[in-house]
Amino acid sequence: MQLSNTSKYTIRILAYMVNHKDTGPISAKELSENLTIPYKFLTKIMTELTRVGFITSTRGREGGFQFLREASKITIADIMELFNDAIKDEACILGIESCNSKKKCAMHDQWIKSKVQLQKMFKESTIENIAGKGDKI
Amino acid sequence: MQLSNTSKYTIRILAYMVNHKDTGPISAKELSENLTIPYKFLTKIMTELTRVGFITSTRGREGGFQFLREASKITIADIMELFNDAIKDEACILGIESCNSKKKCAMHDQWIKSKVQLQKMFKESTIENIAGKGDKI
DNA sequence: ATTTAATACTACTTTAAGGTGGTATTAAAT
DNA sequence: ATTTAATACCACCTTAAAGTAGTATTAAAT
Ligand code: SF4
Ligand code: SF4
């Protein structure tokens, strides 16, 4: 019951980028070193984030990554979605077929409350409004 | 962001057992067939549940599994714990060192609320009080 | 033009969860 | 006693996530 490493890394990467967005493109090297994320794994993530249009990349010397979509328009839910890590509406917590109020599983009542609250939280948390909060990076 | 298969299976197994506890030991075969859980995987789980004392086993013909610990004393949190699937207090949602209110990560405020609520829900949900609820098995 | 420092691409390795197969052990039923 | 139906144990296979390696491409700086 936790986020995938890929989601965790991505949140931290994008939050870091917001906090350093005024100084031109940010390189994978800088991100990798400052966030202690394995370089090769990080570049894989960056390429994907570029592919889906969250960020843009500039190749060559002095290159790096910058936001394309506004940080206030990227939610934690978006990131989880991207890496198949989301809490899907139709997903049953017990994995019995798909969730709908007609055919409930034994945990439905307890779970539905937590689920709604969690989904709301992940949807309302944008990169913009988490960036800079907290001491750990 | 979901339960492990092992946790999901275990919850369903124990809930099923509560609903059939008056008719003697329940065999792995019956559980496997009625819950459509792979037989060999299920027996592995059952052996573990026996080992930790949630249930007892009777070998040989007419054998099977029965509750040892009361179903009202087994929580979803216990099950998650058992299979390393729990939401640990000290676990940071972003995976940055360990969680404590002194050194917060960027998502601390949002997450802490959901975490507390989730943990409470998993701790208060016992096998006894979910068994029989719902239509799906 | 060449060097340097960056991303992009392709392919591979490692790890842990999930799942399978075969056989030994146990005990009721016959 | 033998058969049958059950759990226990041990070793292996499969899959997906995580992580690594090497090379091609790009563009600024020299
Ligand atoms: S809500 Fe309850 S019933 Fe519906 S899917 Fe989720 S868990 Fe199963
Ligand atoms: S609460 Fe926030 S800060 Fe504390 S650990 Fe969990 S995530 Fe990190």
Side-chain angles (χ1 to χ4, degrees), chain A residues 1-103:
Chain A
M1 201 65 176
Q2 47 165 339
L3 295 183
S4 69
N5 278 3
T6 314
S7 297
K8 288 178 192 169
Y9 287 159
T10 301
I11 295 167
R12 292 171 57 216
I13 290 165
L14 294 179
Y16 181 98
M17 284 179 66
V18 168
N19 294 329
H20 296 75
K21 74 161 114 183
D22 302 320
T23 49
I26 302 170
S27 71
K29 182 154 179 278
E30 174 180 350
L31 291 166
S32 166
E33 284 171 356
N34 287 293
L35 302 172
T36 40
I37 298 171
Y39 177 79
K40 280 292 194 178
F41 194 54
L42 180 136
T43 58
K44 221 195 223 174
I45 293 175
M46 298 315 279
T47 301
E48 176 66 5
L49 295 179
T50 304
R51 201 187 61 74
V52 299
F54 285 10
I55 57 180
T56 45
S57 67
T58 326
R59 281 183 164 202
R61 199 165 166 165
E62 306 287 290
F65 304 93
Q66 281 169 297
F67 278 99
L68 178 56
R69 187 193 294 194
E70 290 174 63
S72 63
K73 294 277 172 55
I74 303 175
T75 69
I76 305 300
D78 291 333
I79 293 167
M80 292 169 68
E81 187 94 23
L82 180 57
F83 297 113
N84 263 311
D85 200 18
I87 301 175
K88 301 217 181 80
D89 278 323
E90 70 281 9
C92 176
I93 195 176
L94 297 185
I96 317 171
E97 303 158 22
S98 71
C99 176
N100 61 73
S101 333
K102 303 220 168 148
K103 269 203 153 191

Side-chain angles (χ1 to χ4, degrees), chain B residues 22 24 30 38 40 43 51 67 72 74 79 88-89 91 103-104 108 115-116 120 131:
Chain B
D22 303 319
E30 174 180 350
K40 280 291 194 176
T43 58
R51 199 188 61 75
F67 277 98
S72 63
I74 303 175
I79 293 168
K88 301 215 182 79
D89 277 323
K103 269 202 152 192
K104 300 180 180 178
H108 186 93
K115 179 166 81 169
V116 167
K120 185 163 143 49

Side-chain angles (χ1 to χ4, degrees), chain A residues 116-132:
Chain A
V116 167
Q117 205 237 299
L118 267 181
Q119 285 177 324
K120 185 163 142 51
M121 187 271 282
F122 286 132
K123 247 182 201 156
E124 289 176 354
S125 302
T126 69
I127 292 297
E128 177 70 33
N129 62 36
I130 71 159

Side-chain angles (χ1 to χ4, degrees), chain B residues 31-77:
Chain B
L31 291 166
S32 166
E33 284 171 357
N34 286 293
L35 302 173
T36 40
I37 298 171
Y39 177 79
K40 280 291 194 176
F41 194 54
L42 182 136
T43 58
K44 221 194 222 174
I45 294 174
M46 299 315 280
T47 302
E48 176 66 6
L49 295 178
T50 304
R51 199 188 61 75
V52 299
F54 286 8
I55 57 180
T56 46
S57 66
T58 326
R59 280 182 164 204
R61 197 166 168 161
E62 305 287 289
F65 304 93
Q66 279 168 300
F67 277 98
L68 179 56
R69 186 191 298 193
E70 289 174 64
S72 63
K73 293 275 171 57
I74 303 175
T75 68
I76 304 300

